[in-house]
CSV table of all heavy atoms in Angstrom, one decimal:
chain,number,residue,atom,x,y,z
A,188,GLY,N,154.6,-5.6,81.1
A,188,GLY,CA,155.5,-6.2,81.9
A,188,GLY,C,155.9,-5.3,83.1
A,188,GLY,O,155.6,-4.1,83.2
A,189,ASN,N,156.7,-5.9,84.0
A,189,ASN,CA,157.1,-5.2,85.2
A,189,ASN,C,158.6,-5.0,85.1
A,189,ASN,O,159.4,-6.0,85.2
A,189,ASN,CB,156.8,-6.0,86.5
A,189,ASN,CG,157.2,-5.4,87.8
A,189,ASN,OD1,158.0,-4.4,87.8
A,189,ASN,ND2,156.7,-5.9,88.9
A,190,PRO,N,159.1,-3.8,84.9
A,190,PRO,CA,160.5,-3.6,84.7
A,190,PRO,C,161.3,-3.9,86.0
A,190,PRO,O,160.8,-3.6,87.1
A,190,PRO,CB,160.6,-2.1,84.4
A,190,PRO,CG,159.4,-1.5,85.0
A,190,PRO,CD,158.3,-2.5,84.8
A,191,GLN,N,162.5,-4.4,85.9
A,191,GLN,CA,163.3,-4.7,87.1
A,191,GLN,C,164.6,-3.9,87.2
A,191,GLN,O,165.2,-3.9,88.2
A,191,GLN,CB,163.6,-6.2,87.1
A,191,GLN,CG,162.4,-7.1,87.2
A,191,GLN,CD,161.5,-6.9,88.4
A,191,GLN,OE1,162.1,-6.8,89.5
A,191,GLN,NE2,160.2,-6.8,88.3
A,192,THR,N,165.0,-3.3,86.1
A,192,THR,CA,166.2,-2.5,86.1
A,192,THR,C,165.9,-1.2,85.5
A,192,THR,O,164.9,-0.9,84.9
A,192,THR,CB,167.3,-3.2,85.2
A,192,THR,OG1,166.8,-3.2,83.8
A,192,THR,CG2,167.5,-4.7,85.7
A,193,LEU,N,166.8,-0.2,85.7
A,193,LEU,CA,166.7,1.1,85.2
A,193,LEU,C,166.7,1.1,83.7
A,193,LEU,O,166.0,1.9,83.0
A,193,LEU,CB,167.8,2.0,85.7
A,193,LEU,CG,167.8,2.3,87.3
A,193,LEU,CD1,168.9,3.2,87.6
A,193,LEU,CD2,166.5,2.9,87.7
A,194,LEU,N,167.5,0.2,83.1
A,194,LEU,CA,167.5,0.1,81.6
A,194,LEU,C,166.1,-0.3,81.1
A,194,LEU,O,165.6,0.3,80.1
A,194,LEU,CB,168.6,-0.9,81.2
A,194,LEU,CG,168.8,-1.0,79.7
A,194,LEU,CD1,169.2,0.3,79.1
A,194,LEU,CD2,169.8,-2.1,79.4
A,195,GLU,N,165.5,-1.3,81.8
A,195,GLU,CA,164.2,-1.7,81.4
A,195,GLU,C,163.1,-0.6,81.6
A,195,GLU,O,162.2,-0.4,80.8
A,195,GLU,CB,163.8,-2.9,82.1
A,195,GLU,CG,164.6,-4.2,81.8
A,195,GLU,CD,164.1,-5.4,82.6
A,195,GLU,OE1,163.2,-5.3,83.4
A,195,GLU,OE2,164.8,-6.5,82.4
A,196,LEU,N,163.3,0.2,82.7
A,196,LEU,CA,162.4,1.3,83.0
A,196,LEU,C,162.4,2.3,81.9
A,196,LEU,O,161.3,3.0,81.6
A,196,LEU,CB,162.7,1.9,84.3
A,196,LEU,CG,161.8,3.0,84.9
A,196,LEU,CD1,160.4,2.5,85.0
A,196,LEU,CD2,162.3,3.6,86.2
A,197,GLN,N,163.5,2.6,81.3
A,197,GLN,CA,163.6,3.6,80.2
A,197,GLN,C,162.7,3.3,79.0
A,197,GLN,O,162.3,4.2,78.3
A,197,GLN,CB,165.1,3.7,79.8
A,197,GLN,CG,166.0,4.3,80.8
A,197,GLN,CD,167.5,4.4,80.3
A,197,GLN,OE1,167.8,3.9,79.2
A,197,GLN,NE2,168.3,5.0,81.1
A,198,ALA,N,162.4,2.0,78.8
A,198,ALA,CA,161.6,1.6,77.7
A,198,ALA,C,160.1,1.8,78.0
A,198,ALA,O,159.3,1.5,77.1
A,198,ALA,CB,161.9,0.2,77.3
A,199,HIS,N,159.7,2.1,79.3
A,199,HIS,CA,158.3,2.2,79.6
A,199,HIS,C,157.8,3.6,79.6
A,199,HIS,O,158.6,4.6,79.6
A,199,HIS,CB,158.1,1.6,81.1
A,199,HIS,CG,158.1,0.2,81.1
A,199,HIS,ND1,157.0,-0.6,81.2
A,199,HIS,CD2,159.2,-0.8,81.1
A,199,HIS,CE1,157.3,-1.9,81.2
A,199,HIS,NE2,158.6,-2.0,81.2
A,200,GLU,N,156.5,3.7,79.5
A,200,GLU,CA,155.8,5.0,79.6
A,200,GLU,C,155.7,5.5,81.0
A,200,GLU,O,155.1,4.8,81.9
A,200,GLU,CB,154.4,4.9,79.0
A,200,GLU,CG,153.6,6.2,78.9
A,200,GLU,CD,154.1,7.1,77.8
A,200,GLU,OE1,154.9,6.6,76.9
A,200,GLU,OE2,153.7,8.3,77.8
A,201,CYS,N,156.4,6.6,81.3
A,201,CYS,CA,156.4,7.1,82.7
A,201,CYS,C,155.5,8.3,82.8
A,201,CYS,O,155.4,9.1,81.9
A,201,CYS,CB,157.8,7.4,83.1
A,201,CYS,SG,158.9,6.0,83.3
A,202,LEU,N,154.8,8.4,83.9
A,202,LEU,CA,153.9,9.6,84.2
A,202,LEU,C,154.7,10.6,85.0
A,202,LEU,O,155.1,10.3,86.1
A,202,LEU,CB,152.7,9.1,84.9
A,202,LEU,CG,151.9,8.0,84.2
A,202,LEU,CD1,150.8,7.4,85.0
A,202,LEU,CD2,151.4,8.5,82.8
A,203,VAL,N,154.8,11.8,84.5
A,203,VAL,CA,155.7,12.8,85.1
A,203,VAL,C,154.8,13.7,85.9
A,203,VAL,O,153.8,14.2,85.5
A,203,VAL,CB,156.4,13.6,84.0
A,203,VAL,CG1,157.3,14.6,84.7
A,203,VAL,CG2,157.2,12.7,83.1
A,204,SER,N,155.3,14.0,87.1
A,204,SER,CA,154.6,14.9,88.0
A,204,SER,C,155.5,16.2,88.2
A,204,SER,O,156.7,16.1,88.5
A,204,SER,CB,154.4,14.3,89.4
A,204,SER,OG,153.9,15.3,90.3
A,205,ASP,N,154.9,17.3,87.9
A,205,ASP,CA,155.6,18.6,88.0
A,205,ASP,C,155.4,19.2,89.4
A,205,ASP,O,155.7,20.4,89.5
A,205,ASP,CB,155.2,19.6,86.9
A,205,ASP,CG,155.5,19.1,85.5
A,205,ASP,OD1,156.6,18.4,85.4
A,205,ASP,OD2,154.8,19.3,84.6
A,206,GLY,N,154.9,18.5,90.3
A,206,GLY,CA,154.6,19.1,91.6
A,206,GLY,C,155.8,19.6,92.4
A,206,GLY,O,155.7,20.5,93.2
A,207,CYS,N,156.9,18.9,92.2
A,207,CYS,CA,158.2,19.3,92.9
A,207,CYS,C,159.3,18.7,92.2
A,207,CYS,O,159.2,17.7,91.4
A,207,CYS,CB,158.2,19.0,94.4
A,207,CYS,SG,158.1,17.2,94.7
A,208,GLN,N,160.5,19.2,92.4
A,208,GLN,CA,161.7,18.7,91.8
A,208,GLN,C,162.0,17.2,92.1
A,208,GLN,O,162.5,16.4,91.3
A,208,GLN,CB,162.9,19.5,92.2
A,208,GLN,CG,164.3,19.1,91.6
A,208,GLN,CD,164.3,19.2,90.1
A,208,GLN,OE1,163.6,20.0,89.6
A,208,GLN,NE2,165.2,18.4,89.5
A,209,GLU,N,161.7,16.8,93.3
A,209,GLU,CA,161.9,15.4,93.7
A,209,GLU,C,161.1,14.4,92.9
A,209,GLU,O,161.4,13.2,92.9
A,209,GLU,CB,161.6,15.3,95.2
A,209,GLU,CG,162.5,15.9,96.2
A,209,GLU,CD,162.2,17.4,96.5
A,209,GLU,OE1,161.5,18.0,95.7
A,209,GLU,OE2,162.7,17.9,97.5
Side-chain angles (χ1 to χ4, degrees):
N189 183 346
Q191 298 300 315
T192 67
L193 295 180
L194 184 61
E195 292 178 3
L196 182 61
Q197 290 178 356
H199 282 260
E200 184 75 12
C201 295
L202 304 173
V203 183
S204 174
D205 293 326
C207 64
Q208 178 64 25
E209 288 87 341

